[in-house]
Amino acid sequence: MKFLLKNEWTVGLLAAVLFIPFLGHVHLFDWDEINFAESAREMIESGNYFSVQINYQQFWEKPPLFFWMQVLSMKAFGINEFAARFPNAVCGIITLICLFRIGKRLYSKTFGRIWVMIYLGTFLSFFYFKSGIIDPWFNLFIFLGIYYFHFLTFKSTVNRLWYAFLTGLFIGLAVLTKGPVALLICLLSYSVYILTHYFNNRKIFSSLVSSPLGRRGGAFINWKELLLIIFTIIIICFAWFGVDLIKNGPGFLREFIQYQIRLLTTSEADHGEPFFYHWVVLLIGCFPASIFMMKGMFSSTPTSPFKKWMIILFWVVLLLFSIVKTKIVHYSSLCYFPITYLATVALYNLNQQKIKLSPILTILLSIIGLLLATTFAAIPFIMMYKNAWIDSVHDIFAKGNLEANVHWVWTDGLGGIILLAGIVVYLLSKQKKTIFLFASVTACCFLTTILIAPKIEAISQRANIDFFERKQYEDCYITTYNYRSYAIYFYAKKKPFENKLSTNDDWLLHGNIDKPVYISAKIQNMQVLDAIPDLQKLYIKNGFVFYKRLPVSVQH
């Protein structure tokens, strides 16, 4: 490990080797990956790089910074899957270098190495750098903002105004990436820090009524630092929010704020999961770091104010997005930083034999690890013999997906086999060499993206995407019936300035159309569409059914 993680250069090279290859060998997944890539593509197609659009209409949900990154990538590599995911591969490289440098600065080079090893050897944190979604950059900006801000909370810090500027810079970039939830997370974290700081000193009442901008106890920042942070955030955000407000009025800002409120208060997009949804996601998805984190959270060494910040950040993010009505896997992804940090604290102490992993945590690690390894190893065998059980699937759409002609071989489960070996070696070794455990997870993640992900994509959506791709060069309308997809825009390469009625489903199905209409539907809607006289059924494939409707002049 020391050779591969010798310095920042070797860390960056290792990250590049793991994150860049095979980025484009599988189609983008609906919704988020295609959604974001399509916004970038439409910027290029329309020449409008200032407004975020979907189907060439204003997209109220996200600011443009990540889409600008994708635009630059598409300008360099073309409009394709590799270009859409490349910004996050770069983010992965930068993230690991930052973790190495921060770990080295706060503790030691060994701590930095362990942190990088853990981040690479954690399932969700690895997979996210192979994706085309916004969150890796959003999370990195927030993390760096909090990292630099934490230096302002104790008296001995020099260059305080520089740290205040960096805090405002990264928080502002986070807001420009995904929105004001970045500010909310930072404010909540600082508020909790203040309360815990004074509660620990048994002065909570006096601290609440005193000026929160004093320097007492080292927990507070002064007015000059606060104003610099606020000013920097405003300048960064004004670069787009402010200019848009001046140029187009308050329309976008109003819709954007309303959308953020809906996410917090309602179950948006059928993602109303139970309260403990993110707890389970992080426990299993952040394996094995999530197990070691439980030990690291209560470890007394090594001491650092940064540890307190990471504990606070973890609970603020976890509880906030457990309360929020809309729950999606990546909403809690900011927790990957504190989880891997606290796991590093545990491993750092384990390596120095200051603590031992409790039998309960060892059992939990064994159960989750063996379950995950068995699952990854068994997937190809289950799919190779799907004829034995597929008739028991009652959902006709899911059954249609599973009928896709995908060739599985046992070596597709190689990642699970390596993971199983790594877990067994770790559990049986007397010295509990964690490098085998985390390296096996890294290998499992890397091989899964190469061997299993393309076949999962072939089952779930490829029939649909192949259909859309074949219509790229035909002058036609394309739509979906009774379900939502962004693939009709990105993979059909929809052009701007189409007939405004093309967004009206009733007109496309029944109106006086001026060119052919192609329709994708799920198989359960086939009877409804079969009853429409003008529709010609083209074919059924993998749970989808495809139709064509011609203009009246062509029909006759």
Side-chain angles (χ1 to χ4, degrees):
M1 185 181 73
K2 288 184 179 180
F3 174 74
L4 291 175
L5 306 177
K6 182 179 180 180
N7 52 43
E8 288 85 346
W9 291 103
T10 58
V11 169
L13 180 61
L14 177 62
V17 169
L18 290 172
F19 295 143
I20 294 178
F22 304 103
L23 281 177
H25 81 309
V26 59
H27 290 118
L28 299 172
F29 284 90
D30 252 342
W31 284 358
D32 285 348
E33 275 200 312
I34 302 181
N35 179 352
F36 303 147
E38 174 60 14
S39 289
R41 187 192 73 85
E42 290 187 14
M43 285 184 175
I44 296 172
E45 285 286 345
S46 65
N48 182 358
Y49 298 97
F50 193 80
S51 297
V52 182
Q53 305 169 82
I54 283 290
N55 195 19
Y56 302 100
Q57 298 179 1
Q58 194 83 26
F59 184 56
W60 311 106
E61 298 178 12
K62 300 291 185 293
L65 183 57
F66 181 71
F67 307 126
W68 291 339
M69 296 181 193
Q70 288 187 310
V71 164
L72 291 175
S73 182
M74 289 177 182
K75 292 284 190 179
F77 303 113
I79 298 174
N80 53 50
E81 293 86 357
F82 180 91
R85 294 179 176 130
F86 182 73
N88 280 348
V90 174
C91 182
I93 296 169
I94 294 173
T95 296
L96 293 186
I97 292 173
C98 287
L99 296 186
F100 181 80
R101 291 177 63 89
I102 291 171
K104 183 173 67 173
R105 177 178 181 178
L106 294 179
Y107 303 107
S108 67
K109 185 178 285 188
T110 299
F111 192 96
R113 290 193 185 110
I114 296 173
W115 198 353
V116 170
M117 178 190 73
I118 290 176
Y119 214 88
L120 278 174
T122 297
F123 279 98
L124 288 178
S125 60
F126 184 98
F127 286 138
Y128 270 30
F129 295 131
K130 305 283 280 187
S131 75
I133 64 174
I134 287 178
D135 297 80
W137 280 104
F138 178 66
N139 296 336
L140 176 61
F141 289 143
I142 294 177
F143 171 74
L144 290 176
I146 287 177
Y147 167 69
Y148 286 112
F149 182 79
H150 105 278
F151 287 113
L152 300 175
T153 57
F154 43 95
K155 293 180 180 179
S156 59
T157 299
V158 296
N159 300 322
R160 298 183 66 88
L161 292 181
W162 173 243
Y163 286 125
F165 167 75
L166 291 175
T167 299
L169 171 66
F170 286 113
I171 294 175
L173 289 173
V175 174
L176 204 56
T177 302
K178 198 175 180 180
V181 69
L183 274 175
L184 177 62
I185 291 171
C186 295
L187 289 173
L188 287 174
S189 298
Y190 186 42
S191 299
V192 173
Y193 180 86
I194 292 172
L195 291 174
T196 56
H197 179 83
Y198 279 90
F199 179 77
N200 289 338
N201 289 280
R202 297 185 180 182
K203 296 179 181 179
I204 186 169
F205 179 77
S206 61
S207 70
L208 289 175
V209 298
S210 64
S211 169
L213 300 172
R215 191 64 62 76
R216 295 170 42 189
F220 298 133
I221 62 175
N222 62 33
W223 284 106
K224 188 184 296 184
E225 295 155 2
L226 176 66
L227 290 175
L228 180 57
I229 292 171
I230 294 173
F231 177 76
T232 306
I233 293 173
I234 290 174
I235 291 297
I236 296 294
C237 294
F238 186 85
W240 187 73
F241 285 103
V243 175
D244 181 78
L245 181 64
I246 295 171
K247 183 178 178 181
N248 301 316
F252 176 86
L253 201 59
R254 181 175 60 249
E255 293 288 342
F256 179 77
I257 293 172
Q258 289 175 356
Y259 171 75
Q260 302 297 320
I261 294 172
R262 285 201 309 273
L263 284 181
L264 294 172
T265 58
T266 63
S267 175
E268 188 82 0
D270 298 324
H271 291 289
E273 306 295 343
F275 179 83
F276 287 101
Y277 172 79
H278 288 295
W279 302 59
V280 176
V281 165
L282 294 175
L283 175 64
I284 298 175
C286 288
F287 176 87
S290 57
I291 308 299
F292 291 97
M293 177 210 70
M294 299 179 197
K295 189 69 176 179
M297 185 175 291
F298 301 102
S299 173
S300 59
T301 56
T303 57
S304 168
F306 190 65
K307 180 181 176 182
K308 182 176 181 180
W309 274 98
M310 289 293 95
I311 293 173
I312 290 172
L313 179 63
F314 171 77
W315 286 111
V316 164
V317 174
L318 180 58
L319 292 175
L320 174 63
F321 290 105
S322 295
I323 294 170
V324 167
K325 298 295 184 181
T326 302
K327 293 181 175 66
I328 304 176
V329 171
H330 52 259
Y331 279 15
S332 58
S333 57
L334 182 55
C335 286
Y336 303 167
F337 284 105
I339 286 174
T340 55
Y341 167 82
L342 294 169
T344 304
V345 169
L347 259 65
Y348 189 76
N349 287 323
L350 285 168
N351 290 345
Q352 296 183 349
Q353 298 183 339
K354 293 181 179 180
I355 61 173
K356 292 182 178 180
L357 200 65
S358 68
I360 294 176
L361 292 180
T362 301
I363 293 171
L364 186 59
L365 184 147
S366 304
I367 293 172
I368 296 176
L370 294 174
L371 179 63
L372 287 171
T374 303
T375 300
F376 282 111
I379 286 174
F381 292 98
I382 293 171
M383 297 307 299
M384 286 164 62
Y385 299 100
K386 66 182 179 182
N387 291 336
W389 53 267
I390 195 170
D391 288 337
S392 63
V393 177
H394 300 297
D395 186 313
I396 60 173
F397 177 67
K399 186 176 180 180
N401 288 164
L402 292 167
E403 289 172 347
N405 185 20
V406 178
H407 180 63
W408 293 86
V409 293
W410 73 268
T411 51
D412 292 331
L414 189 59
I417 296 170
I418 293 174
L419 176 59
L420 182 62
I423 293 169
V424 171
V425 169
Y426 168 77
L427 292 174
L428 295 182
S429 62
K430 291 183 180 180
Q431 295 184 339
K432 293 292 184 288
K433 293 290 186 180
T434 52
I435 187 172
F436 294 111
L437 176 62
F438 285 96
S440 68
V441 174
T442 304
C444 179
C445 292
F446 185 75
L447 291 171
T448 297
T449 60
I450 299 172
L451 300 174
I452 293 182
K455 297 184 178 182
I456 296 297
E457 189 269 332
I459 291 171
S460 62
Q461 65 173 24
R462 190 171 298 168
N464 218 19
I465 287 177
D466 287 346
F467 179 76
F468 298 143
E469 285 185 318
R470 289 196 297 270
K471 306 306 173 189
Q472 287 183 17
Y473 306 106
E474 183 174 345
D475 187 18
C476 62
Y477 300 119
I478 302 178
T479 189
T480 58
Y481 178 81
N482 206 29
Y483 78 96
R484 185 178 176 187
S485 172
Y486 295 106
I488 58 174
Y489 311 128
F490 187 82
Y491 283 105
K493 298 289 189 289
K494 184 173 181 179
K495 301 296 182 183
F497 316 121
E498 279 192 349
N499 189 327
K500 292 183 179 179
L501 289 172
S502 64
T503 59
N504 186 319
D505 289 340
D506 186 65
W507 181 78
L508 292 172
L509 290 173
H510 306 285
N512 185 21
I513 55 175
D514 55 345
K515 56 187 176 182
V517 174
Y518 292 93
I519 301 158
S520 165
K522 295 181 179 179
I523 197 169
Q524 56 263 40
N525 298 121
M526 186 167 60
Q527 286 185 332
V528 176
L529 294 176
D530 282 348
I532 299 176
D534 292 343
L535 289 187
Q536 173 191 351
K537 186 190 298 180
L538 298 176
Y539 62 91
I540 301 171
K541 188 175 182 180
N542 302 348
F544 293 95
V545 56
F546 302 98
Y547 292 86
K548 179 179 182 179
R549 181 172 181 245
L550 295 173
V552 175
S553 58
V554 176
Q555 294 178 28
H556 300 290

